[in-house]
Coordinates of all heavy atoms in Angstrom, one line a residue:
N1 N -85.9 -85.7 -61.7 CA -86.6 -85.8 -63.0 C -85.8 -85.0 -64.1 O -85.8 -85.5 -65.2 CB -88.0 -85.3 -62.9 CG -88.8 -85.6 -64.1 OD1 -88.8 -86.8 -64.6 ND2 -89.5 -84.6 -64.7
T2 N -85.3 -83.9 -63.7 CA -84.5 -83.1 -64.6 C -83.3 -83.8 -65.1 O -82.9 -83.7 -66.3 CB -84.1 -81.7 -64.0 OG1 -83.3 -82.0 -62.8 CG2 -85.3 -80.9 -63.7
D3 N -82.6 -84.6 -64.3 CA -81.5 -85.4 -64.7 C -81.9 -86.4 -65.7 O -81.1 -86.7 -66.7 CB -80.8 -86.1 -63.5 CG -80.1 -85.1 -62.6 OD1 -79.9 -84.0 -63.0 OD2 -79.7 -85.5 -61.5
R4 N -83.0 -87.1 -65.5 CA -83.5 -88.1 -66.4 C -83.8 -87.5 -67.8 O -83.6 -88.1 -68.8 CB -84.6 -88.9 -65.8 CG -84.2 -89.8 -64.7 CD -85.3 -90.6 -64.1 NE -86.2 -89.8 -63.2 CZ -87.5 -89.6 -63.4 NH1 -88.1 -90.0 -64.4 NH2 -88.1 -88.9 -62.5
S5 N -84.4 -86.3 -67.8 CA -84.7 -85.7 -69.1 C -83.4 -85.3 -69.8 O -83.3 -85.4 -71.0 CB -85.6 -84.4 -68.8 OG -86.8 -84.8 -68.2
Q6 N -82.5 -84.8 -69.0 CA -81.2 -84.4 -69.6 C -80.5 -85.7 -70.2 O -79.9 -85.6 -71.3 CB -80.3 -83.8 -68.6 CG -78.9 -83.4 -69.0 CD -78.9 -82.3 -70.0 OE1 -79.9 -81.6 -70.3 NE2 -77.7 -82.1 -70.7
L7 N -80.6 -86.8 -69.5 CA -80.0 -88.0 -70.0 C -80.7 -88.4 -71.4 O -80.0 -88.9 -72.3 CB -80.2 -89.2 -69.0 CG -79.8 -90.6 -69.5 CD1 -78.3 -90.6 -69.9 CD2 -80.1 -91.6 -68.4
A8 N -82.0 -88.3 -71.5 CA -82.7 -88.6 -72.7 C -82.2 -87.8 -73.9 O -82.0 -88.3 -75.0 CB -84.2 -88.4 -72.5
R9 N -81.9 -86.5 -73.6 CA -81.4 -85.6 -74.7 C -80.0 -86.0 -75.1 O -79.6 -86.0 -76.3 CB -81.5 -84.2 -74.2 CG -82.9 -83.6 -74.1 CD -82.9 -82.1 -74.0 NE -82.4 -81.7 -72.7 CZ -83.1 -81.6 -71.6 NH1 -84.4 -81.8 -71.6 NH2 -82.6 -81.2 -70.4
I10 N -79.2 -86.3 -74.1 CA -77.8 -86.7 -74.4 C -77.8 -88.0 -75.1 O -77.0 -88.2 -76.1 CB -77.0 -86.9 -73.1 CG1 -76.8 -85.5 -72.4 CG2 -75.6 -87.5 -73.3 CD1 -76.2 -85.6 -71.0
A11 N -78.6 -89.0 -74.7 CA -78.7 -90.3 -75.4 C -79.1 -90.1 -76.9 O -78.6 -90.8 -77.8 CB -79.7 -91.2 -74.7
K12 N -80.0 -89.2 -77.1 CA -80.5 -88.9 -78.5 C -79.3 -88.4 -79.4 O -79.1 -88.9 -80.5 CB -81.6 -87.9 -78.5 CG -82.2 -87.7 -79.9 CD -82.8 -89.0 -80.4 CE -83.4 -88.9 -81.8 NZ -83.8 -90.2 -82.4
R13 N -78.5 -87.5 -78.8 CA -77.3 -87.0 -79.6 C -76.3 -88.1 -79.8 O -75.7 -88.2 -80.9 CB -76.7 -85.9 -78.8 CG -77.5 -84.6 -78.8 CD -76.7 -83.4 -78.4 NE -76.2 -83.5 -77.1 CZ -76.9 -83.0 -76.0 NH1 -78.0 -82.4 -76.2 NH2 -76.4 -83.0 -74.8
M14 N -76.1 -89.0 -78.8 CA -75.2 -90.1 -79.0 C -75.7 -91.1 -80.1 O -74.9 -91.5 -80.9 CB -75.1 -90.9 -77.7 CG -74.3 -90.2 -76.6 SD -74.1 -91.3 -75.1 CE -73.1 -90.2 -74.1
E15 N -77.0 -91.3 -80.1 CA -77.6 -92.2 -81.1 C -77.5 -91.7 -82.5 O -77.2 -92.4 -83.4 CB -79.1 -92.5 -80.7 CG -79.7 -93.6 -81.5 CD -80.4 -93.1 -82.8 OE1 -80.7 -91.8 -82.9 OE2 -80.6 -93.9 -83.7
E16 N -77.6 -90.3 -82.6 CA -77.5 -89.7 -83.9 C -76.0 -89.8 -84.4 O -75.7 -90.0 -85.6 CB -77.9 -88.2 -83.9 CG -79.4 -88.1 -83.7 CD -79.9 -86.7 -83.4 OE1 -79.0 -85.8 -83.2 OE2 -81.1 -86.4 -83.5
K17 N -75.1 -89.6 -83.5 CA -73.6 -89.7 -83.9 C -73.3 -91.2 -84.3 O -72.6 -91.4 -85.2 CB -72.8 -89.3 -82.7 CG -71.3 -89.3 -83.0 CD -70.5 -88.8 -81.8 CE -69.0 -88.7 -82.1 NZ -68.2 -88.2 -81.0
A18 N -73.9 -92.1 -83.5 CA -73.7 -93.5 -83.9 C -74.3 -93.8 -85.2 O -73.8 -94.6 -86.0 CB -74.3 -94.4 -82.8
D19 N -75.5 -93.2 -85.6 CA -76.1 -93.4 -86.9 C -75.1 -93.0 -88.0 O -75.1 -93.7 -89.0 CB -77.4 -92.6 -87.0 CG -78.5 -93.3 -86.3 OD1 -78.4 -94.5 -86.0 OD2 -79.6 -92.7 -86.1
R20 N -74.5 -91.9 -87.8 CA -73.5 -91.4 -88.9 C -72.4 -92.4 -89.1 O -71.9 -92.7 -90.2 CB -73.0 -90.0 -88.5 CG -74.0 -88.9 -88.6 CD -73.4 -87.6 -88.5 NE -72.9 -87.3 -87.2 CZ -73.5 -86.7 -86.2 NH1 -74.8 -86.4 -86.4 NH2 -72.9 -86.4 -85.1
L21 N -71.9 -93.0 -88.0 CA -70.8 -94.0 -88.1 C -71.4 -95.3 -88.8 O -70.7 -95.9 -89.5 CB -70.3 -94.4 -86.7 CG -69.5 -93.2 -86.0 CD1 -69.2 -93.7 -84.6 CD2 -68.2 -92.9 -86.8
T22 N -72.6 -95.6 -88.5 CA -73.2 -96.8 -89.2 C -73.3 -96.5 -90.7 O -72.9 -97.4 -91.5 CB -74.7 -97.0 -88.6 OG1 -74.6 -97.3 -87.2 CG2 -75.3 -98.2 -89.4
L23 N -73.7 -95.3 -91.1 CA -73.7 -95.0 -92.5 C -72.3 -95.1 -93.1 O -72.2 -95.6 -94.3 CB -74.3 -93.6 -92.7 CG -75.8 -93.5 -92.4 CD1 -76.2 -92.0 -92.6 CD2 -76.7 -94.4 -93.4
E24 N -71.3 -94.6 -92.4 CA -70.0 -94.7 -92.9 C -69.5 -96.1 -93.2 O -68.9 -96.4 -94.2 CB -69.0 -94.0 -92.0 CG -67.6 -93.9 -92.4 CD -66.7 -93.2 -91.4 OE1 -67.2 -92.5 -90.5 OE2 -65.4 -93.4 -91.5

């Protein structure tokens, strides 16, 4: 379960980085 929670946090950071590229 800890791995899946860690994945969710990593995915959120990736999505935020992708959002910045979208704005650019």
Side-chain angles (χ1 to χ4, degrees):
N1 189 47
T2 55
D3 286 350
R4 288 183 280 118
S5 297
Q6 176 69 10
L7 173 61
R9 289 192 290 271
I10 293 173
K12 186 60 180 175
R13 289 198 295 269
M14 289 183 178
E15 190 269 341
E16 290 172 350
K17 185 176 181 180
D19 279 347
R20 291 193 291 271
L21 292 174
T22 298
L23 290 175
E24 181 180 346

